[in-house]
Amino acid sequence: MMRVSSQSVTVVALLADPDAPTEIARRMARTLPARLAERSGRGRRFDVEVVSEPFTAGTEDLSTLMHRIMDRGRAENWDVVVAITDLPLHSHGHKLVVDLSHEHGLALLSLPPLGGLRLQTRAMRAVEETVLSLASPRATRAEKPPRRRPLGRFVSRLAPVHPGPIGEDEIADLRYVVSGPRGYLRVLGGMVRANRPWRLVPGLSKALAAALATGAIATVNSTIWSLSEALSTARLVIAMVGSVTLMIGWLIVDAHLWHRSTDASTEEKKRTSLYNASTVMTVGIGVIVCYGGLIVINLVSALFILNDRVFASMTRSPLHATEYWTLSWLVSSIATVGGALGSGFESAEAIRTAAFSKREQERRDMLHDDHGDQPSK
């Protein structure tokens, strides 16, 4: 890569995939120049540019991605290029955190291994450490710097990063990965965070409409009043878990969200299990949020609708706070089942859009196209 610098100014490009990576890059660009200048010293200045491009489109191969980044950087007057994606990337059985090429002044950062919590802070630290390492004047392929500037500060001690193996024909000269059960959980949390499961709530408008209608009918049903009084807490919990599980399963099956491995290799099976686990967690969080909202709405409805005398005449129990709560709880479980049926009116594409990040949607579409199994509804 051509290095173009003037008056001690280092030009840093954050090449970010669209959607969440671009948002993260733009937020960090506000303070990154000052942080870099403070840590580098010697009066050095940094200019940070954010470029939003789908550089991971159609591939997850590290060598291909690094060549794309290198070619993109050669066309611009950038000293350092840090590419950011929310796709989980893999290297020799490990989960990639960051690839660095000091010879070419470029890096590839995968956000999921940073975890689902404090992502902006960890991404900032990762980019900061990466840029300072790449901007070092002594950083060449002949002088690999694995000890000069370790990149483990931006993750917790529960899942530390460590150097990973690099093939002789690869552009990268330094690679950090996470592995083991703790690394798996951190990547899983990062994938769920990238999918932003709270977006599933407005994406299920027809299902929510069906759930609200079911809840309104159940709230004024005297049989439901009697059941709420008769059922024990354990049975109410079973009803809640059953309805939520039914909703999750129905959405995954109906919208074809389950990923099936087409390769019998152990590596592919691990990837498939990771993607499916993130799908279950993403949909599960969205459904649980919907369930909590239904409880609040049904409780408010019950407070306005129910009459003490009528309720007591039907159930032979006075209407107190406990009765309001148990009724709303049971009605929410019934309404969730109604919502599952109502989700059948949603298009599969709408559910996938609500459940997955942009990169994850494109990855799944590419897989379906490759195997001639694109879902339609």
Side-chain angles (χ1 to χ4, degrees):
M1 180 182 298
M2 292 291 293
R3 297 299 185 89
V4 180
S5 300
S6 62
Q7 299 179 353
S8 299
V9 176
T10 301
V11 180
V12 179
L14 301 181
L15 181 63
D17 263 334
D19 207 11
T22 296
E23 294 175 10
I24 291 172
R26 285 173 177 166
R27 283 196 294 267
M28 72 171 62
R30 301 167 188 166
T31 57
L32 185 60
R35 292 170 64 99
L36 291 172
E38 181 181 358
R39 290 197 56 189
S40 63
R42 302 186 303 276
R44 194 170 188 176
R45 290 172 43 217
F46 292 83
D47 284 344
V48 178
E49 303 176 8
V50 177
V51 179
S52 181
E53 288 184 7
F55 69 92
T56 59
T59 185
E60 296 178 49
D61 180 68
L62 293 181
S63 179
T64 302
L65 292 176
M66 291 293 279
H67 275 93
R68 286 183 180 180
I69 300 166
M70 182 176 66
D71 292 342
R72 186 67 177 86
R74 283 174 173 171
E76 304 289 345
N77 292 334
W78 298 333
D79 298 311
V80 174
V81 183
V82 180
I84 306 173
T85 181
D86 56 0
L87 273 182
L89 301 173
H90 303 265
S91 170
H92 304 282
H94 304 292
K95 284 77 176 176
L96 176 77
V97 180
V98 60
D99 251 3
L100 297 94
S101 173
H102 293 82
E103 179 183 6
H104 302 286
L106 58 87
L108 170 61
L109 173 66
S110 177
L111 294 176
L114 302 183
L117 302 176
R118 301 175 60 240
L119 179 59
Q120 185 69 44
T121 300
R122 287 174 175 157
M124 171 68 85
R125 291 178 179 175
V127 171
E128 184 179 334
E129 292 290 324
T130 299
V131 171
L132 290 174
S133 180
L134 294 176
S136 171
R138 296 177 298 168
T140 64
R141 180 174 286 274
E143 296 181 24
K144 295 183 181 180
R147 295 182 179 275
R148 187 178 67 238
R149 195 180 291 280
L151 303 180
R153 295 178 57 252
F154 53 87
V155 296
S156 71
R157 297 178 181 177
L158 295 178
V161 300
H162 56 85
I166 303 175
E168 294 182 358
D169 58 342
E170 295 189 65
I171 295 177
D173 52 45
L174 186 61
R175 171 173 295 159
Y176 281 88
V177 297
V178 294
S179 59
R182 293 179 297 181
Y184 178 92
L185 292 176
R186 179 166 291 282
V187 174
L188 180 59
M191 292 175 67
V192 174
R193 171 66 175 77
N195 287 336
R196 295 187 283 189
W198 52 87
R199 298 188 307 179
L200 189 62
V201 178
L204 296 175
S205 57
K206 294 182 177 65
L208 289 174
L212 291 173
T214 304
I217 295 172
T219 300
V220 297
N221 190 301
S222 60
T223 302
I224 302 299
W225 299 351
S226 300
L227 281 175
S228 68
E229 288 297 303
L231 293 179
S232 63
T233 300
R235 288 180 179 271
L236 289 171
V237 170
I238 293 173
M240 175 184 67
V241 173
S243 63
V244 169
T245 302
L246 176 63
M247 182 71 161
I248 294 171
W250 180 266
L251 288 173
I252 291 175
V253 173
D254 192 52
H256 308 283
L257 303 183
W258 196 256
H259 176 57
R260 291 179 175 83
S261 174
T262 57
D263 191 341
S265 66
T266 303
E267 180 67 21
E268 181 61 25
K269 289 181 179 179
K270 288 181 179 179
R271 290 192 187 192
T272 300
S273 66
L274 184 64
Y275 285 124
N276 286 333
S278 70
T279 297
V280 172
M281 289 188 65
T282 298
V283 177
I285 292 173
V287 171
I288 290 172
V289 171
C290 290
Y291 189 92
L294 286 174
I295 288 181
V296 173
I297 293 172
N298 290 325
L299 180 59
V300 173
S301 298
L303 289 171
F304 280 96
I305 294 174
L306 295 186
N307 179 275
D308 293 357
R309 292 182 180 179
V310 176
F311 187 88
S313 66
M314 293 292 181
T315 64
R316 298 182 180 179
S317 299
L319 189 57
H320 299 308
T322 302
E323 282 68 34
Y324 280 115
W325 166 251
T326 55
L327 176 61
S328 301
W329 191 2
L330 177 60
V331 167
S332 297
S333 298
I334 297 172
T336 300
V337 176
L341 298 177
S343 67
F345 296 102
E346 303 278 3
S347 69
E349 182 62 29
I351 295 176
R352 287 194 295 271
T353 300
F356 296 128
S357 68
K358 188 176 182 63
R359 295 296 97 197
E360 177 65 4
Q361 293 176 56
E362 292 179 354
R363 188 194 69 82
R364 287 172 177 263
D365 290 342
M366 179 185 68
L367 288 176
H368 286 302
D369 289 339
D370 289 343
H371 300 99
D373 186 33
Q374 186 164 0
S376 61
K377 187 178 177 182

